[in-house]
Structures are given as structure tokens and as C-alpha cells.
Amino acid sequence: MRHFGHIAPEVRQRLFHQEPCEFSAGSPARLLSAALGATLYSPATRPRLADDIVKQTGRGVVSMVLCLEDSIGDEDVAEGEENLVRQFTDLAERGSAVDLPLLFIRVRTPEQIPDLVRRLGPAVRLLSGFVLPKFTEERGMPFLEALASAEAQSGRRLFAMPVLESPELLYRESRVETLEGIFRAVDKYRERVLALRLGVTDFCSSYGLRRAPDMTAYDVQIVASVIADVVNMLGRADGTGFTVTGPVWEYFRVQERMFKPQLRRSPFLEGQAEELREALIEHSMDGLLREITLDHANGLLGKTCIHPSHVLPVHALSVVSHEEFSDAKDILRPERCGGGVLRSQYTNKMNEVKPHRAWAERTLLRAEVFGVANEDIGFVELLAAGIPA
């Protein structure tokens, strides 16, 4: 699989200075953690789930979570488990004729992990791992232990994606202690933890809040403070950190808005894509695009998505610009290892080698999985090219 692999090769050649790389479920964890992109969630009870997965793969989705937790009722869990086994078996029987994304199951209890692995049988080869809800050290360790046991049982490499969403993480008096505990747990199982996911909807629920479609998570100060502390303690670039993914965007269509649209008109006029701008605004995508940009500025990569229309904006804004790529390559030249300051090739900024080195390394990793846009290509062209005809 590859990002933007669903568009024609000749279109990719026009868009990209460096095309996104190919990867698979067997690729190194460091590459996969950066490549998750827009992780699309789907209730495990969907009757045509196998067909849905194949369909979304054809639209550019590279990672999906099949949810047995909050997206279904308590009374539907057993049905959801049975449906997952049926749908995975269906996909396995289709063989290599279909391309599939990275597939994860979001469970409720540790016991579900080895049980589902056993019930999946040979179809477990299609499973990349499990999403672990309401993760703290105390609640999370049994999940990680169950994952290790299931991995040994199946002979299949299985990853964990803990969700950070518990009230203890939100409350100021317990936040640091909770984060320290989470770090101890995920550090012990570091080779199995692919990424940490933020459960912002649960954070808001603790205070009876819900952000409006023209507000980002970063406009809700209590949420922004948690994101900052999670990145501070768990997302460091010194080799101890983990990939932290962006929070879910809840909206797909807005009937009435209070504030002006947040999308400037000029990039769309230049790209002759004014209709695309109007469609994005109509479906509340201007708020999503702003939040994705703020995710990146705050050290997050990838995003939880609950609607297929959110996938392309996440991926388009994850592509590395030609200017970013040029700066990163300059900073990481072997002859620059002693440090120093240089003017960027675009002659519009200072690149300081030692302070910007970690940024440059992360940028080149993102460039590997999402590609590098040609010099005259912006996110408008990437969005327009990815929309199905």
C-alpha cells in the first residue's frame, strides 16, 4: 500500500517531487507509525464490513480501526465479535486479489485480545493489532500483557495503540502522575506500541463540553493543556518519545455557522478550485483543515477519523512541501554535522543546524511515507486530485 496509491500514476508524477513510498503490515514499526495517516474508525457490527474495508482502501485509506467499544452498545458486543470473525474470514478467503489497509480492533477488556486472536484462526494474518481504551498504567498493563500473550500464541506481530482519554489524565492534580505511569507501561512494551491516540471527546465529556464546528481542539483550553502535556512527556524527539496522533473531528456538514470561513480564497482561485473551497466550507472542512495544521504544529501526526470525507484532507496536509524538504535536506547534509547557520534555498528563513535537526529528521520520515510535493503544488491541488471523479 502507499498514500495516494488510489490515484493514477501519471497524476502522482505531476503532483510529487518524491512519491510516497510503498509499505506493508510487515514494514518497520517506525515507518508504520508515521504512515498511519487518517485512521478511519468503523463499528464492528456493520453487516458488510469486509466490503466497506475494500471500498475505503480504494479511496486512499491505509489504516482502519474496527470498534467494539464506544461506537456500539453494550448489548451488541457479542454480535460485534462474531461479525468481526466472519468479516475477517471473508477477507482472508478473497486472497491477495484485494488490497487491505492496516486493520486494528478496538477492544473493551484484555480478555478479548487472546480470545479474538484464537477465534480469527488463519485470518489473524490480516490483523495488525489492537486499540486499547482508557489507557493508564493500572488499566493498561493487563491489555499489554494480553497482547504479548496473543502475539506468542499466533506467531503474528501485533501492535498496540493505547488511547489516552481517562479523567485522571485530564484532572490537573493527577495528570503528571498518570502520564508518568503511562510512560512506564508503554516504555516496557515499546516495541509493540505503534502510536498513542488522544481521546478528546472523552476529555470534553468530563466537563460537559463539546467543541463547535468552527472551533478546534486547541480553542478548548482544558483540552489544549492536556495535548501539550502529553506531547511534553510522551512525544519527545530524543528517542524516548512515541508517535502521538491527532484527535477526532466530529462534523461532516454544518447547517449554520457563527464565524467566517477559515479558508482563504486565494489558493483556490490560483488552483481554479473555487467550487472545492465552497464544498469544504459547506461540510465544515475548513475547521478540520485548521485543526490538522495545528496538530502538526503541536507535534502530532495522523488523526482519528469517523467519516471517510476526512481522510483526504488529513493526507493532503501531511504531504511535505518542496520548501520543507529542501530545508530538511540542507540541515541534514553530512558536512553540516558540526552545526552552524545557513540561509534556506528559498532565501526566506534561517536554518540552524543543531536546533532544527530533530525537525528535519521527522520531516524526512514524513516525506518518505506521504511524499514531497512538486514546487508548484499545494494542498489545493492534492485535495482536488484525490477526490473521486
Side-chain angles (χ1 to χ4, degrees):
M1 71 191 86
R2 72 194 308 171
H3 285 291
F4 297 93
H6 64 299
I7 64 177
E10 61 272 18
V11 178
R12 288 204 305 270
Q13 290 176 6
R14 177 176 61 81
L15 294 174
F16 289 99
H17 170 77
Q18 173 183 300
E19 290 193 29
C21 71
E22 292 187 347
F23 58 93
S24 70
S27 296
R30 181 170 179 268
L31 187 75
L32 292 181
S33 69
L36 288 167
T39 300
L40 184 63
Y41 275 55
S42 177
T45 51
R46 288 181 68 91
R48 298 180 60 85
L49 187 56
D51 291 335
D52 293 341
I53 291 169
V54 173
K55 178 180 178 180
Q56 295 307 328
T57 306
R59 294 182 172 181
V61 173
V62 303
S63 63
M64 288 187 70
V65 173
L66 314 174
C67 185
L68 289 166
E69 210 227 357
D70 287 346
S71 68
I72 65 174
D74 298 344
E75 68 281 3
D76 296 326
V77 174
E79 176 194 340
E81 292 177 345
E82 293 171 4
N83 189 52
L84 282 181
V85 173
R86 285 195 302 270
Q87 303 294 336
F88 268 83
T89 301
D90 180 357
L91 288 170
E93 290 174 349
R94 302 186 193 194
S96 58
V98 295
D99 294 323
L100 297 176
L102 303 172
L103 296 175
F104 301 85
I105 297 174
R106 181 171 177 172
V107 291
R108 294 185 172 213
T109 67
E111 294 75 24
Q112 286 177 299
I113 293 176
D115 181 58
L116 284 167
V117 166
R118 177 186 57 79
R119 292 164 63 183
L120 285 171
V124 77
R125 64 181 175 83
L126 304 180
L127 181 65
S128 290
F130 291 89
V131 175
L132 315 180
K134 299 172 178 57
F135 193 92
T136 62
E137 182 179 28
E138 181 180 2
R139 288 195 294 269
M141 284 300 290
F143 281 100
L144 292 171
E145 291 163 357
L147 181 79
S149 174
E151 187 177 72
Q153 165 193 335
S154 64
R156 166 79 179 169
R157 181 178 71 164
L158 295 171
F159 288 114
M161 290 201 291
V163 184
L164 311 186
E165 56 187 345
S166 64
E168 301 97 313
L169 183 59
L170 185 63
Y171 300 152
R172 185 169 187 173
E173 66 271 19
S174 55
R175 185 179 304 172
V176 172
E177 182 181 354
T178 302
L179 283 168
E180 289 173 342
I182 290 171
F183 179 80
R184 285 191 296 268
V186 295
D187 188 49
K188 182 176 179 179
Y189 289 88
R190 177 173 291 273
E191 72 282 0
R192 291 187 175 90
V193 177
L194 192 60
L196 305 176
R197 312 200 70 89
L198 288 165
V200 164
T201 301
D202 281 51
F203 290 159
C204 290
S205 73
S206 295
Y207 288 87
L209 305 175
R210 186 174 191 178
R211 68 189 190 276
D214 41 17
M215 296 282 181
T216 72
Y218 303 92
D219 294 312
V220 183
Q221 291 299 300
I222 188 72
V223 170
S225 72
V226 181
I227 294 175
D229 287 343
V230 167
V231 174
N232 189 330
M233 297 183 68
L234 300 174
R236 299 177 186 181
D238 59 1
T240 66
F242 296 82
T243 295
V244 182
T245 65
V248 69
W249 183 257
E250 298 178 354
Y251 297 94
F252 9 103
R253 190 177 183 90
V254 179
Q255 303 302 324
E256 182 180 3
R257 62 171 63 241
M258 183 180 299
F259 300 109
K260 288 183 178 180
Q262 301 177 70
L263 280 181
R264 290 170 47 239
R265 178 172 273 108
S266 55
F268 293 86
L269 291 175
E270 293 166 8
Q272 297 182 330
E274 179 67 8
E275 289 184 5
L276 173 59
R277 178 179 181 272
E278 294 301 323
L280 291 170
I281 291 170
E282 180 184 358
H283 291 84
S284 189
M285 295 298 180
D286 54 327
L288 170 62
L289 292 168
R290 175 166 171 75
E291 185 166 285
I292 297 166
T293 303
L294 289 170
D295 287 341
H296 293 173
N298 285 278
L300 309 184
L301 182 60
K303 199 167 186 66
T304 295
C305 294
I306 44 80
H307 195 272
S309 64
H310 300 167
V311 172
L312 182 57
V314 173
H315 292 170
L317 284 174
S318 298
V319 173
V320 172
S321 71
H322 188 272
E323 181 174 345
E324 290 175 310
F325 184 69
S326 172
D327 289 339
K329 294 284 282 187
D330 273 356
I331 290 165
L332 295 177
R333 284 182 183 176
E335 63 268 26
R336 308 287 188 194
C337 62
V341 177
L342 57 147
R343 185 176 64 173
S344 75
Q345 288 189 20
Y346 277 69
T347 67
N348 61 357
K349 73 176 76 64
M350 172 195 75
N351 288 327
E352 194 168 353
V353 173
K354 289 185 177 178
H356 291 144
R357 185 174 188 84
W359 169 85
E361 290 171 347
R362 293 184 65 171
T363 298
L364 290 191
L365 178 60
R366 183 160 56 92
E368 186 174 358
V369 295
F370 289 102
V372 178
N374 271 321
E375 195 167 356
D376 59 342
I377 296 296
F379 81 94
V380 173
E381 290 82 3
L382 292 163
L383 277 171
I387 295 173

